[in-house]
Amino acid sequence: MFNKFDVLETIDMIEREHLDIRTITMGISLLPYIRETAESTAAAVYEAVCRKAKDIVKVASQLSGEFGIPIVNKRVSVTPVSLICAAFPQEAPRVGQALDAAAKELGIDFLGGYSALVHKGTADYEKIFLESIPELLSTTERVCSSVNVASSKSGINMDAVRLMGEIVKRTAEATRAQDGLGCAKLVVFANAVEDNPFMAGAFHGVGESGTVINVGVSGPGVVKHALENIPDANLNDAAEMIKRTAFKITRAGQLIAKEAAKRLDAEFGIVDLSLAPTPVMGDSVAHILEELGLECVGGHGTTAALAMLNDAVKKGGVMASSHVGGLSGAFIPVSEDIGMIEAADRGMLNIDKLEAMTAVCSVGLDMIAIPGDTPATTISAIIADEAAIGMINNKTTAVRVIPVPGKDVGDSVEFGGLLGRAPIMPVHKTDSSRFVLRGGRIPAPIHSNKN
Amino acid sequence: MRAVVTVTGKDKKGIIAKVSSFLAEKGVNVEDISQTILQEYFAMIMLVDISEMTVELSELSKECEQLGKEIGMSIRLQHEAIFNAMHNI
């Protein structure tokens, strides 16, 4: 018989503290479905995705019932579409449309992989592909796009950074009627990972197997609750508590991941140990930091508290899973975290502090609404800053900002659902265009020369 | 194959009888029961054998939830693996 306190603890975690499996993501390689033309490729891709993932929703619901733990999202990631469409890049949106149709057929909310990897250089076909992103994101509902523009090994492709500033602006404009919602489905990465299960940045790397199940766990509420029980503990003990909690959460994720892989006839890939917040009360990473003793996230001490949280989550999680991957750390998407929204509303959290925070946690400037008249070159400069942090620190960083058309500081934007709400955050008005327009490539740092 | 049934809520008469007769109807055998009452809060944990259950596990878990609503308690049935994973190394 189990210890009754253990049993009740699990029940409490699920019922009161929002413990859930955030996503089961099936990675599917599209390389075998490249055909002579875009039309036949789109048909083959649609058929393959629908066939391989046909049971994903059903299996997730079964597992959720059997183990009594909610499984929030079911998703699919695919090989970067720029590679699939390299022979006919002008027609890449046709494949994107097929993927959107497949996502609808499967009943999943997002499918990731309208992506390109251009961290060292942008081939002609990739440039054409990148130009198609705004149109694709405005004409599809569920397809997500990501572009890797830098890596620790190859430096920062500043030509791609410059272009992506424009692509972000055009995407916002193309989805003006929805307050630039398209940009919520577009991530610009440095050191993108090939097995990330979380949207919008998920894609299925070329080094991956044919069909893989990656699982993202979550549980900011569980961590916060655990810390509430030790309000006066020193930081050694607080870190230890976070580790132990992350261990338990991840073990649940590992169990679901293995079982899901078995039932969906796929390989078990990784468990991503991220603490992913939602806009729901009690599911906030910001509130964990405040529980550690900060009056408000964004104040001095935030970076240190986040560094500790991120590291403790990794340490606890690594012990609990046979394969850890993806982004694995704390997420700080502003619009998706009620504590971050409140801090931004009060003017306590700004883009500069967020940038510092991205140096010690798992992602980057995420879901930040900025004024619609922000120049493309300024967005490129923001991307370059984040890429530099990622490149130098050997970590993944990303930029997902939304220049909301027609809105300015003081306004707020509502994306709804998991994407949440965001007050428009000011960006620096100084001109960075001369730097951005230089183009070229920022060389890889000296410590990347490890061979 | 075993599962854990947890019943929580305000204490009242006949909870064990209702839950165990429901489980018996579904071919589920109760192996162990532990119950606690803290103030008026009732918490019962049952370890049950589900190898001869007559419905699918996810269906059974839904029906337990339904029964819980009927008798005004919260009833959950979960495969034991989740507790093993989270609390045993």
Side-chain angles (χ1 to χ4, degrees):
Chain A
M1 187 71 175
F2 298 94
N3 177 326
K4 64 184 171 198
F5 296 105
D6 288 345
V7 171
L8 294 175
E9 183 189 48
T10 297
I11 306 282
D12 258 357
M13 282 182 177
I14 295 166
E15 284 195 348
R16 295 203 194 122
E17 298 155 18
H18 304 285
L19 171 63
D20 55 43
I21 303 297
R22 187 49 49 87
T23 181
I24 292 185
T25 303
M26 178 181 274
I28 300 174
S29 171
L30 294 185
L31 295 173
Y33 308 103
I34 300 173
R35 301 286 180 267
E36 193 101 335
T37 64
E39 193 180 356
S40 49
T41 302
V45 160
Y46 175 83
E47 187 278 326
V49 171
C50 287
R51 174 166 45 84
K52 291 194 169 206
K54 70 175 191 304
D55 289 332
I56 191 169
V57 172
K58 191 179 91 192
V59 165
S61 141
Q62 269 174 3
L63 291 173
S64 181
E66 291 174 20
F67 294 104
I69 182 165
I71 297 172
V72 182
N73 297 309
K74 282 71 67 177
R75 288 164 174 177
V76 168
S77 65
V78 297
T79 312
V81 171
S82 76
L83 300 176
I84 309 305
C85 298
F88 33 78
Q90 285 87 352
E91 293 178 85
R94 198 183 264 252
V95 174
Q97 299 286 356
L99 289 169
D100 195 47
K104 283 174 187 156
E105 171 68 25
L106 294 170
I108 58 174
D109 64 345
F110 287 120
L111 180 150
Y114 199 78
S115 307
L117 309 174
V118 293
H119 39 278
K120 196 163 182 190
T122 320
D124 291 341
Y125 64 85
E126 282 162 336
K127 188 161 185 305
I128 297 168
F129 174 84
L130 295 179
E131 300 273 0
S132 77
I133 290 175
E135 185 207 320
L136 192 274
L137 292 179
S138 64
T139 54
T140 55
E141 222 180 280
R142 306 184 187 194
V143 174
C144 295
S145 177
S146 56
V147 179
N148 195 49
V149 296
S151 78
S152 296
K153 199 73 193 150
S154 59
I156 305 174
N157 177 354
M158 285 299 289
D159 292 322
V161 168
R162 173 177 143 187
L163 180 58
M164 285 315 295
E166 287 167 23
I167 300 289
V168 168
K169 282 284 279 190
R170 273 186 244 159
T171 302
E173 209 45 58
T175 50
R176 173 180 266 272
Q178 300 150 283
D179 284 329
L181 179 67
C183 295
K185 299 181 283 178
L186 172 59
V187 188
V188 187
F189 273 117
N191 290 327
V193 292
E194 302 200 320
D195 51 10
N196 168 19
F198 287 102
M199 294 297 164
F203 65 88
H204 185 72
V206 288
E208 298 280 320
S209 182
T211 315
V212 175
I213 289 293
N214 297 320
V215 162
V217 298
S218 192
V222 181
V223 173
K224 177 171 182 284
H225 180 81
L227 291 171
E228 279 167 3
N229 290 332
I230 49 165
D232 303 315
N234 67 23
L235 292 173
N236 301 322
D237 296 341
E240 193 58 33
M241 181 59 93
I242 296 168
K243 253 164 67 179
R244 282 165 46 186
T245 311
F247 179 86
K248 289 178 190 168
I249 296 172
T250 310
R251 291 272 287 189
Q254 164 91 6
L255 172 70
I256 298 285
K258 288 204 122 167
E259 203 52 44
K262 199 163 79 185
R263 295 188 197 185
L264 289 165
D265 194 22
E267 273 180 46
F268 160 57
I270 55 96
V271 176
D272 186 318
L273 322 169
S274 295
L275 287 184
T278 67
V280 177
M281 201 58 173
D283 207 15
S284 156
V285 169
H287 287 163
I288 300 177
L289 303 178
E290 290 168 5
E291 183 59 40
L292 282 169
L294 303 170
E295 181 196 329
C296 181
V297 68
H300 297 297
T302 302
T303 312
L306 182 60
M308 188 190 95
L309 171 66
N310 200 59
D311 181 65
V313 166
K314 281 185 207 289
K315 284 175 180 160
V318 160
M319 294 292 291
S321 172
S322 47
H323 295 285
V324 167
L327 299 165
S328 286
F331 287 179
I332 50 168
V334 175
S335 75
E336 299 174 4
D337 185 313
I338 185 73
M340 298 276 177
I341 297 170
E342 286 163 0
D345 272 338
R346 291 168 63 193
M348 300 293 178
L349 184 64
N350 61 37
I351 203 159
D352 294 334
K353 190 62 183 178
L354 282 161
E355 183 183 313
M357 290 160 74
T358 65
V360 300
C361 78
S362 65
V363 275
L365 294 174
D366 198 14
M367 289 304 287
I368 300 173
I370 58 174
D373 63 359
T374 308
T377 48
T378 299
I379 295 173
S380 293
I382 292 172
I383 295 170
D385 281 343
E386 272 304 304
I389 289 173
M391 174 180 78
I392 297 292
N393 294 308
N394 291 305
K395 70 182 288 291
T396 305
T397 49
V399 173
R400 181 162 55 144
V401 293
I402 304 107
V404 186
K407 294 209 171 173
D408 208 340
V409 178
D411 298 329
S412 181
V413 58
E414 181 83 51
F415 296 117
L418 280 177
L419 297 173
R421 173 179 79 82
I424 310 284
M425 214 173 251
V427 297
H428 293 280
K429 297 278 187 197
T430 52
D431 181 11
S432 311
S433 63
R434 202 163 71 85
F435 174 69
V436 167
L437 296 177
R438 280 173 184 265
R441 180 148 57 98
I442 296 182
I446 181 72
H447 60 239
S448 71
N449 270 302
K450 285 182 179 161
N451 284 340
Chain B
M1 212 166 42
R2 293 195 300 189
V4 175
V5 180
T6 45
V7 184
T8 51
K10 263 197 140 186
D11 192 23
K12 59 183 77 158
K13 292 192 189 91
I15 300 170
I16 298 183
K18 279 186 187 131
V19 176
S20 42
S21 61
F22 167 78
L23 292 173
E25 271 171 36
K26 305 287 172 189
V28 175
N29 187 38
V30 179
E31 292 189 346
D32 199 351
I33 298 186
S34 138
Q35 77 167 75
T36 325
I37 297 170
L38 293 167
Q39 282 140 11
E40 290 188 345
Y41 187 71
F42 174 88
M44 176 170 75
I45 300 164
M46 291 170 141
L47 188 64
V48 299
D49 182 352
I50 49 173
S51 35
E52 287 173 24
M53 65 184 163
T54 52
V55 289
E56 289 228 335
L57 182 53
S58 54
E59 184 53 35
L60 183 62
S61 133
K62 258 185 227 154
E63 289 180 19
C64 280
E65 212 180 304
Q66 189 52 41
L67 174 71
K69 280 186 191 140
E70 283 164 24
I71 65 172
M73 304 289 287
S74 160
I75 305 183
R76 293 176 151 264
L77 180 139
Q78 292 160 274
H79 195 289
E80 66 168 346
I82 187 87
F83 301 100
N84 270 328
M86 290 178 75
H87 301 286
N88 293 330
I89 297 176

